[in-house]
Amino acid sequence: MTAYRLLEWQAGGRYADVPVPEPAADEILVRVRAVGLCHSDILLQDSPPGAWPFDPGFTLGHETAGHVAARGAQVTNLAEGDPVLLSCVHSCGRCERCLRGQENYCALSLRFTTRGVGLDGGLAEYVTAPAREAVPLRALDPADAAVLADAGATAYHAVRTCAAVLHPGTAALVIGAGGLGGFAVQHLRALTRATVIAVDTAAHRLEHAGRIGAHHTLLSGEPGPGRTPSSAPDGDTDDTTADRIRALTPGCAAVLDFVGTDDTLALAVGVAAPVGRIVICGAAGGQVPVGWGRLPGGCQLSVSYGHTLADLRDVVTLAEQDALHIATERFPFAQVGEAYRRLREGTLTSRAVITM
């Protein structure tokens, strides 16, 4: 079969012929229907040797949906032909954290190794996965479901970690309103009664965030061409993004940073409320000083990674109840390189999905 693989660091992906994999006793073989693309794929491809605990080559694609083509001898809960969504989190299923429902913090997960990241992923005709990491789809098209495997469920997990402090009348800030941030806006509206503020550097992403539930949208950075105080979102005329946020709320009870640069982390700390939560989801590698007097009193800062299987099932249920807006831009398998180019340039209007 043909697969789109990372064969060497900093050289991008390319098509290659590989054997069709065979499922182990506890695995299923999935005929791939759709694969979502993610900014972490770009980060992976651009990484220098030694940055990850594995080496090329492997097939890319960690947001995968399709149909069961075959199953191992021990698999009884799925049948051939069943539509499934594969979790982007790979775990052992046996350690204490897995048994407590914290699969995203299993030792395997914390090595950042999963299908499409170190292991063969979904950008091929077939992929194998443990049956327990597959969520059945009842009323959801696999081509729509694919992006839930990471973007939808990872954002849901991040929102769940701070929902307890988002009482009615509080404010939640979403930094980065792209794929994950857009889902976070929707999850915040579904799970809380907080006022949702979205910040981004791209006007089209903010327009989308406003359509799917953000109460306020703020364009970050210096005013660009054609953007005057009278045309700024929500009458935004203050000098800095932090000032504009403080004009809306004295402090954000929760800040979810889906970017993770030095600047976005500094913004998060600067606008967080006492006894609030700062949740870092962005993998840009930024740093912020933390210590006595550097965070608002009682404020907690955490790093959120991936999602649990329960999170993924919840998100699939929300989508099948038409409680989530899933926006995708679809590309055929022959145009994976073009889709990654558009993703890198930031010219996509929604989440990129490769259809097989």
Side-chain angles (χ1 to χ4, degrees):
M1 66 179 185
T2 301
Y4 193 83
R5 295 172 63 81
L6 183 66
L7 299 179
E8 57 182 304
W9 298 118
Q10 299 179 320
R14 68 186 75 168
Y15 295 99
D17 291 332
V18 296
V20 175
E22 295 186 7
D26 63 343
E27 291 184 332
I28 54 174
L29 176 70
V30 174
R31 185 179 182 92
V32 177
R33 170 79 182 281
V35 181
L37 304 189
C38 183
H39 273 286
S40 60
D41 295 338
I42 302 297
L43 175 66
L44 183 68
Q45 294 174 46
D46 291 349
S47 295
W52 296 81
F54 47 76
D55 293 313
F58 53 85
T59 300
L60 293 163
H62 62 269
E63 294 184 336
T64 305
H67 295 85
V68 177
R71 56 183 185 170
Q74 298 175 3
V75 179
T76 59
N77 63 318
L78 294 168
E80 291 185 17
D82 284 353
V84 292
L85 175 65
L86 301 182
S87 171
C88 79
V89 174
H90 179 52
S91 57
C92 72
R94 299 181 299 273
C95 69
E96 181 177 357
R97 285 189 287 271
C98 284
L99 295 176
R100 292 183 180 277
Q102 299 170 324
E103 300 92 354
N104 51 328
Y105 300 116
C106 168
L108 283 181
S109 301
L110 294 177
R111 293 189 191 118
F112 304 105
T113 304
T114 187
R115 286 170 297 281
V117 185
L119 305 177
D120 285 337
L123 283 174
E125 188 175 356
Y126 294 96
V127 66
T128 56
R132 63 182 184 80
E133 294 178 4
V135 175
L137 302 174
R138 295 174 294 276
L140 196 59
D141 186 327
D144 289 326
V147 297
L148 302 180
D150 183 10
T154 296
Y156 183 83
H157 182 78
V159 169
R160 273 208 312 113
T161 64
C162 58
V165 300
L166 290 172
H167 313 297
T170 59
L173 175 66
V174 175
I175 302 176
L180 276 77
F183 278 115
V185 167
Q186 297 183 74
H187 297 324
L188 285 164
R189 292 301 305 269
L191 300 181
T192 79
R193 292 296 179 265
T195 296
V196 180
I197 305 167
V199 171
D200 202 285
T201 58
H204 71 275
R205 290 195 289 265
L206 290 174
E207 291 169 4
H208 178 66
R211 287 193 298 268
I212 59 177
H215 296 94
H216 303 282
T217 59
L218 302 176
L219 191 62
S220 180
E222 295 294 326
R227 181 172 181 267
T228 64
S230 61
S231 66
D234 298 325
D236 169 12
T237 59
D238 288 319
D239 292 334
T240 69
T241 303
D243 289 337
R244 297 173 234 153
I245 294 169
R246 295 188 193 101
L248 298 171
T249 175
C252 297
V255 181
L256 296 103
D257 185 354
F258 291 98
V259 182
T261 64
D262 289 352
D263 288 343
T264 60
L265 291 174
L267 174 64
V269 171
V271 300
V275 202
R277 302 283 190 277
I278 299 171
V279 183
I280 304 171
C281 300
Q287 298 182 24
V288 64
V290 174
W292 183 268
R294 294 182 178 271
L295 289 177
C299 184
Q300 297 181 5
L301 187 150
S302 65
V303 175
S304 182
Y305 175 66
H307 57 264
T308 68
L309 290 171
D311 291 329
L312 186 58
R313 295 188 190 98
D314 284 350
V315 170
V316 168
T317 298
L318 287 172
E320 293 190 327
Q321 294 175 345
D322 292 325
L324 279 181
H325 176 76
I326 302 174
T328 63
E329 189 168 347
R330 299 183 184 183
F331 299 81
F333 183 51
Q335 294 181 9
V336 175
E338 169 67 9
Y340 273 132
R341 182 187 67 79
R342 295 270 308 279
L343 178 62
R344 183 186 295 276
E345 294 174 352
T347 58
L348 293 167
T349 57
S350 56
R351 197 79 172 173
V353 171
I354 304 300
T355 55
M356 308 297 288

